[in-house]
Amino acid sequence: MFETLMLSRIQFAANISFHILFPTITIALSWFLFFFKLRFDQTADPVWMRAYRFWVKIFAITFAIGVVSGITMSFQFGTNWPKFMETVGNIAGPLLGYEVLTAFFLEAGFLGIMLFGINRVSAKVHTLSTLIVAFGTTLSSFWILALNSWMQTPQGHEMRGGVAFPVDWLAIIFNPSFPYRLSHMLLASGLTAAFLIAGISAYRLLKGDDKRAPKLTLKIALSVAMVLTPLQIFVGDLHGLNTLKHQPQKIAAMEGIWHTEKSAPLLLFAIPDEKNKRNTFELAIPAMASFILTHDFNGEIKGLNEFEGNHPPVKPVFYAFRVMVGLGMLMLLLAWLARIQLWRKDKLPRWLLKILVMMSFSGWIGTLAGWYVTEIGRQPWLVTGVLTVKDAATTIAPGNVALSLSLYLLLYLVLMVAYLHTIFTMASRAIEIEEISETEQQPSLNQASINATLAQE
């Protein structure tokens, strides 16, 4: 029988895992939509509007689920983790409030114009609304990651009677890990949206959709992925160096290093044995971990033995990190391979299109793996050095938590199946829409006639 603490942890993990999937898409997808709309305004080529209209529907569905799942997640601060707000509410409360007052109000205020105002307002107002929604989604991630980063590397506060009080808001917001965490997450969102667009576009092409729109969005998505993947690897390396400085126990778990050593090997794969504090199997590159983390082949890396009783569970952090890195390398290879192929022949072979379809939601896997490294790697702390997970948990009966957990899991399963089914159904139906007529392709058409033609869809 699971105890209340474990059930509460599983429930929050399930909620955050489900919720984070949708903002990861909408943050970057909103910028893709802004680009599509801007290009339509500049060229009057209806293919850009076709792309915009298709993907704005997916954005709307994704945004709605993200909002609903975010609300249910916030309830748990009171039901499952009451000590969290009691201890750090003076900091967490305002940061969450800033997210609502700035980012969410921007999104909610202009989302209606973006979704339903295309034939009711001028082109400039509609494009501006799309830009504001995109900015709002990014600003939302700013505040949420400011709080999460502060929980990882807290500063700018003082403890009075066991309660954290802010003394320097700039230090709280721009804490040591925040710039790296924000950059890493925004790039992850860009890659998630890029591979989603590429995958759904490839799906349409495989199903016989020979229109210009899926070909165009495929090229754009792969071009973005080709640029963002190496940039993400670079930022990830900087983030790792920051983590080594402020959370060395997390790095030790990520690398599977049990004892402090110089010239530490880079473990490509291993089987950690936490009971005996060793790895039962290792596939390693000698001294490479020291070189990557210290830029010195003879550099010293602290092992888990230095953090007895104060380090995270090793296996989930170790394996999740390798999933994240491995998937990132696969994205890099696939993005460059597919984009170069498009440059050469202007089309992709069916086998490569099928791989892109399978990679449609690969960004979700990478994001979850990275999030697990971040959150599990902080254990046993909820706020590093301030509040442990155990001390923050509720004391209600395990059966109550088990019931709510079961209901959450059932609801999320239904929503996920419905969401995936809806997206691929929309892609299939888009194939049946007639191609842009020769008249529509003339860029000299005015805005009103183009909107009137598109409205007939």
Side-chain angles (χ1 to χ4, degrees), residues 115-187:
L115 296 180
F116 308 112
I118 195 166
N119 294 319
R120 295 175 173 84
V121 298
S122 68
K124 289 184 179 180
V125 170
H126 185 264
T127 302
L128 178 62
S129 299
T130 305
L131 173 61
I132 292 175
V133 170
F135 176 74
T137 61
T138 306
L139 186 60
S140 178
S141 66
F142 176 93
W143 292 114
I144 296 301
L145 287 168
L147 174 57
N148 182 266
S149 299
W150 180 82
M151 292 165 64
Q152 300 276 345
T153 53
Q155 65 174 26
H157 69 284
E158 65 179 21
M159 301 301 296
R160 304 174 196 164
V163 177
F165 287 86
V167 294
D168 185 347
W169 277 108
L170 285 179
I172 289 171
I173 296 170
F174 298 99
N175 57 82
S177 65
F178 172 69
Y180 306 97
R181 204 175 306 280
L182 177 64
S183 302
H184 203 48
M185 186 62 200
L186 292 180
L187 289 170

Side-chain angles (χ1 to χ4, degrees), residues 204-274:
R204 291 176 61 177
L205 294 174
L206 279 173
K207 293 295 183 178
D209 192 346
D210 197 39
K211 302 189 198 69
R212 295 166 58 207
K215 296 176 183 177
L216 180 65
T217 52
L218 177 63
K219 290 180 180 179
I220 292 171
L222 289 175
S223 297
V224 170
M226 188 174 67
V227 174
L228 294 188
T229 41
L231 186 58
Q232 179 71 306
I233 293 171
F234 174 72
V235 171
D237 179 64
L238 295 179
H239 191 12
L241 296 177
N242 176 265
T243 304
L244 177 65
K245 179 179 180 180
H246 296 281
Q247 296 175 297
Q249 69 274 27
K250 182 186 292 187
I251 289 292
M254 290 162 56
E255 299 296 339
I257 299 173
W258 294 95
H259 303 285
T260 301
E261 59 182 303
K262 296 182 178 180
S263 300
L266 176 65
L267 301 180
L268 302 178
F269 183 78
I271 302 176
D273 181 358
E274 194 157 353

